[in-house]
Amino acid sequence: MKNDTVNYPTLSFKDRVVSVALSRARELGFEIVACASTGNLANSVAANAASGGLKSYVFIPADLETGKVLGSLVYGTNVIGIRGTYDAVNRLCSEIAGKYGWAFVNVNIRPYYAEGSKSLGYEIIEQLGWRLPDHVVVPMAGGSLITKIHKSFKEFVKLGLVDERECRIHGAQAEGCAPIVNAMKIGADIIKPVSKPQTIVKSLAIGNPADGFYSIQTMKQTGGWAENPDDTEVVAGIKLLAETEGIFAETAGGVTVAATQRLVQNGRIKPNESLVLCITGHGLKTQEAVANKCGEARVIGPHLREFSALLDRKN
Amino acid sequence: MKNDTVNYPTLSFKDRVVSVALSRARELGFEIVACASTGNLANSVAANAASGGLKSYVFIPADLETGKVLGSLVYGTNVIGIRGTYDAVNRLCSEIAGKYGWAFVNVNIRPYYAEGSKSLGYEIIEQLGWRLPDHVVVPMAGGSLITKIHKSFKEFVKLGLVDERECRIHGAQAEGCAPIVNAMKIGADIIKPVSKPQTIVKSLAIGNPADGFYSIQTMKQTGGWAENPDDTEVVAGIKLLAETEGIFAETAGGVTVAATQRLVQNGRIKPNESLVLCITGHGLKTQEAVANKCGEARVIGPHLREFSALLDRKN
């Protein structure tokens, strides 16, 4: 494969944050790396630890999609499934980090992890020919990515690599777990945690987002907004992106597409404005979400007459 | 995502061949594109047709892995499952191409499809810093890829972009469907078709390979060899690559790794020689192959004492 493709060896943007965090963990002398994860981060920690010769533990809610569980196990990591929400996983990981002194990429070495997200923002600017778009729509789980995309834009402006202009950064969560969007919509700065997330969008199902406050500041400062499509809209968003762009996104991508549709419908994004959607993970990781919603193969014997008959029935 | 990542939107090298074939199909005025496929090609035709605004039909054996079937359906294509082997699918597609005049990327517009494979060879040279390696190991299904990698090398030598040197090109198939390897091993130029492929490596299960003869010429001309690991070796190959390089390959990748191990064991590849393995598809497409062979998550409640007890039992 192309070198550049290796930027996403585990098919989500988490490879960006993990490459930074594990490089730093190694510099700091850690031998065991770990994470609390809704799936994508676990996949990336497991793969990058394997290639880097580090021992790893990944902690996930026990009910994740099979592709995301296998997508960690295959790298020979220790997968620990926790009976509970992501927030319970996260609390436990803080305790384990304290007791065992392992490098948890999103707990005790989180600053390095967080800075790794900035490369996504840098590349938006680079790929647009060194300019900022009118709008960016970003999925939010813990809320780190949206704040770091904003930070990356400000850094490139400060460095003179791109001209400053109005660029609205919008956030997206699924209706069944939308603590940041809910706060944004009522004008609150304080996040009210969601104790029991109920959505097919497991990768964004963080009820008590670590960077929720800062996410709201990002949206407010840039003139952005927030939307929380329901699971039906999410599935429709996945299919729309696949059928029109040939890109098969995981559920988080469906949230981003569906949230964008709402932003267009309510006039916050105008047809003539430039727009970037952050599609952060591949659809093969969350096949359950669309498995029975895309029709099925039409099965026939290997005979021309059977195919012709099928075609005639269709037309 | 990065522009460069879009080279593999459907997570296999078939995106290379399809981008060339569909561009040409469009130039030629076709409105319906199609293919006979063991899965990867269907995914790529479906996705690229969707993004290019072309109508598509993809024909596959009805018993393919679920990830590969969904990985076509999601793009809104017409998936036709055929009761029979790939070779039966292929024969039917020749008849359909004749009757309906659609652009079958690997039948009536196959030359463009085939040339698309050359970019893989170009990039091997580019990524190695403009030199040829001592060895390349390539999976073989219909046998097109291995011949086109050879062609690409010869082109770059002719153009003076890389120095000529001995570069052995080896081919890999799974034991349960290895018509090209079988012929190579007995020194025959003529391929004896395999009528009933029996292997978990469905993407390579082509019993009557279109470019089998030329594949053998490629291996002979370059001093390469051929190996056909069994399914157990294939699974071990997938796990070895994941655990050491952090790369999760589909079954074809397991064949390539396992064949390489055999080539090392029998002395055809020496420890001090440079080596490129062509890993041509992602493991999330063929999860069934390793689903119950990578251990499982250890499930506990969200309590530090439960984790400590688990760790104590392990040690």
Side-chain angles (χ1 to χ4, degrees):
Chain A
M1 289 199 188
K2 286 201 69 174
N3 271 337
D4 303 292
T5 309
V6 181
N7 282 321
Y8 289 115
T10 66
L11 308 180
S12 87
F13 86 105
K14 291 294 186 186
D15 290 324
R16 296 174 179 272
V17 303
V18 169
S19 62
V20 175
L22 291 203
S23 299
R24 187 65 180 136
R26 203 175 207 176
E27 283 176 357
L28 293 168
F30 286 102
E31 287 169 8
I32 300 182
V33 294
C35 67
S37 173
T38 57
N40 283 326
L41 183 60
N43 295 171
S44 186
V45 166
N48 283 285
S51 69
L54 293 159
K55 197 170 170 186
S56 65
Y57 282 81
V58 300
F59 297 79
I60 56 173
D63 67 346
L64 284 192
E65 299 93 342
T66 57
K68 287 202 174 156
V69 179
L70 180 64
S72 289
L73 286 167
V74 72
Y75 302 109
T77 186
N78 300 285
V79 179
I80 314 295
I82 305 298
R83 284 187 294 271
T85 63
Y86 171 81
D87 298 292
V89 177
N90 197 39
R91 276 192 300 274
L92 174 63
C93 286
S94 292
E95 296 181 282
I96 296 171
K99 178 169 177 180
Y100 294 98
W102 300 343
F104 277 80
V105 300
N106 56 339
V107 181
N108 50 348
I109 61 165
R110 186 173 178 92
Y112 306 106
Y113 154 98
E115 293 299 296
S117 291
K118 292 190 303 187
S119 61
L120 204 158
Y122 299 152
E123 288 175 22
I124 289 174
I125 291 172
E126 188 188 350
Q127 288 185 28
L128 291 177
W130 303 96
R131 64 181 179 86
L132 286 166
D134 294 319
H135 301 273
V136 181
V137 186
V138 187
M140 301 184 295
S144 175
L145 180 61
I146 191 170
T147 65
K148 296 305 172 185
I149 286 178
H150 189 206
K151 188 177 180 184
S152 72
F153 288 176
K154 287 188 292 187
E155 286 177 354
F156 268 26
V157 167
K158 201 169 181 178
L159 288 165
L161 291 170
V162 67
D163 290 334
E164 188 161 17
R165 67 191 296 265
E166 189 166 77
C167 171
R168 297 172 193 270
I169 305 181
H170 310 277
Q173 296 192 296
E175 186 182 54
C177 184
I180 307 174
V181 177
N182 294 339
M184 182 75 188
K185 285 193 167 178
I186 61 168
D189 285 329
I190 306 300
I191 306 287
K192 189 181 164 197
V194 172
S195 57
K196 290 193 178 161
Q198 287 193 312
T199 170
I200 58 168
V201 189
K202 298 184 181 184
S203 59
L204 302 185
I206 297 185
N208 193 7
D211 291 300
F213 174 81
Y214 300 105
S215 301
I216 289 175
Q217 299 311 309
T218 293
M219 293 184 276
K220 281 186 179 173
Q221 284 170 21
T222 64
W225 189 240
E227 282 298 346
N228 52 343
D230 65 32
D231 286 357
T232 306
E233 292 171 87
V234 169
V235 171
I238 293 172
K239 292 175 69 176
L240 179 68
L241 190 67
E243 292 174 4
T244 54
E245 296 291 333
I247 295 169
F248 182 15
E250 66 150 57
T251 49
V255 170
T256 303
V257 172
T260 304
Q261 288 181 293
R262 284 194 179 186
L263 291 164
V264 170
Q265 280 153 13
N266 62 30
R268 289 179 189 272
I269 298 175
K270 308 261 177 331
N272 61 333
E273 293 173 331
S274 61
L275 165 65
V276 170
L277 275 66
C278 295
I279 304 301
T280 52
H282 197 281
L284 284 179
K285 292 186 157 201
T286 59
Q287 297 179 35
E288 295 88 337
V290 290
N292 299 312
K293 300 184 177 72
C294 300
E296 53 190 25
R298 310 289 293 268
V299 178
I300 59 172
H303 309 292
L304 183 59
R305 65 173 189 281
E306 288 194 39
F307 179 67
S308 295
L310 175 71
L311 210 56
D312 289 343
R313 278 198 304 278
K314 260 190 87 177
N315 297 332
Chain B
M1 293 199 182
K2 286 200 69 176
N3 270 336
D4 302 291
T5 308
V6 181
N7 282 319
Y8 288 115
T10 67
L11 307 179
S12 88
F13 86 106
K14 290 294 186 188
D15 290 323
R16 296 175 180 273
V17 303
V18 169
S19 62
V20 175
L22 292 203
S23 299
R24 187 63 180 137
R26 203 177 207 175
E27 283 175 357
L28 293 168
F30 286 102
E31 285 168 9
I32 299 181
V33 295
C35 66
S37 173
T38 57
N40 283 326
L41 182 60
N43 294 172
S44 187
V45 166
N48 283 286
S51 69
L54 293 159
K55 197 172 172 186
S56 64
Y57 282 81
V58 301
F59 297 79
I60 56 174
D63 67 346
L64 283 193
E65 299 94 341
T66 56
K68 286 199 176 159
V69 179
L70 180 64
S72 290
L73 286 168
V74 71
Y75 302 108
T77 185
N78 300 286
V79 179
I80 313 296
I82 305 298
R83 283 186 296 268
T85 63
Y86 171 81
D87 297 292
V89 177
N90 197 39
R91 276 192 300 274
L92 174 62
C93 286
S94 292
E95 295 181 282
I96 295 173
K99 177 167 178 181
Y100 294 97
W102 300 344
F104 277 80
V105 300
N106 56 339
V107 182
N108 50 347
I109 61 166
R110 187 174 177 92
Y112 306 106
Y113 155 98
E115 293 298 298
S117 291
K118 292 191 303 186
S119 62
L120 205 157
Y122 299 152
E123 287 174 22
I124 288 174
I125 291 173
E126 187 187 352
Q127 289 185 28
L128 292 177
W130 301 97
R131 64 183 180 85
L132 286 166
D134 294 319
H135 302 273
V136 181
V137 186
V138 187
M140 301 184 294
S144 174
L145 180 61
I146 191 169
T147 65
K148 296 305 171 184
I149 286 178
H150 189 207
K151 187 175 182 186
S152 73
F153 288 177
K154 288 188 291 188
E155 286 178 352
F156 268 26
V157 167
K158 201 169 184 180
L159 288 165
L161 290 170
V162 67
D163 290 336
E164 187 159 16
R165 67 191 297 266
E166 189 167 75
C167 171
R168 296 172 194 269
I169 304 181
H170 309 277
Q173 295 192 296
E175 187 182 53
C177 184
I180 306 174
V181 177
N182 294 339
M184 183 76 189
K185 284 193 168 177
I186 61 168
D189 284 329
I190 306 300
I191 307 287
K192 188 179 163 200
V194 172
S195 58
K196 288 194 179 163
Q198 287 193 313
T199 170
I200 59 169
V201 189
K202 298 184 182 184
S203 59
L204 302 185
I206 296 184
N208 192 8
D211 291 300
F213 174 82
Y214 300 105
S215 301
I216 289 175
Q217 300 312 310
T218 293
M219 293 184 276
K220 282 186 177 171
Q221 285 169 21
T222 64
W225 189 239
E227 284 296 347
N228 51 345
D230 64 32
D231 287 356
T232 305
E233 293 171 86
V234 169
V235 171
I238 293 173
K239 290 175 71 175
L240 180 68
L241 189 68
E243 292 175 4
T244 55
E245 295 291 334
I247 294 169
F248 182 16
E250 66 150 57
T251 49
V255 170
T256 304
V257 172
T260 304
Q261 288 182 294
R262 285 194 179 185
L263 291 164
V264 170
Q265 282 153 13
N266 63 27
R268 290 180 188 271
I269 298 177
K270 308 260 178 332
N272 62 334
E273 293 174 332
S274 60
L275 166 64
V276 170
L277 275 66
C278 295
I279 305 300
T280 51
H282 197 280
L284 284 179
K285 291 187 161 202
T286 59
Q287 297 181 35
E288 294 88 339
V290 290
N292 299 311
K293 300 184 177 72
C294 299
E296 52 189 27
R298 310 289 293 270
V299 177
I300 58 172
H303 308 293
L304 182 58
R305 66 173 189 281
E306 289 194 41
F307 180 66
S308 295
L310 175 71
L311 211 56
D312 290 344
R313 280 199 304 278
K314 259 191 87 175
N315 296 333

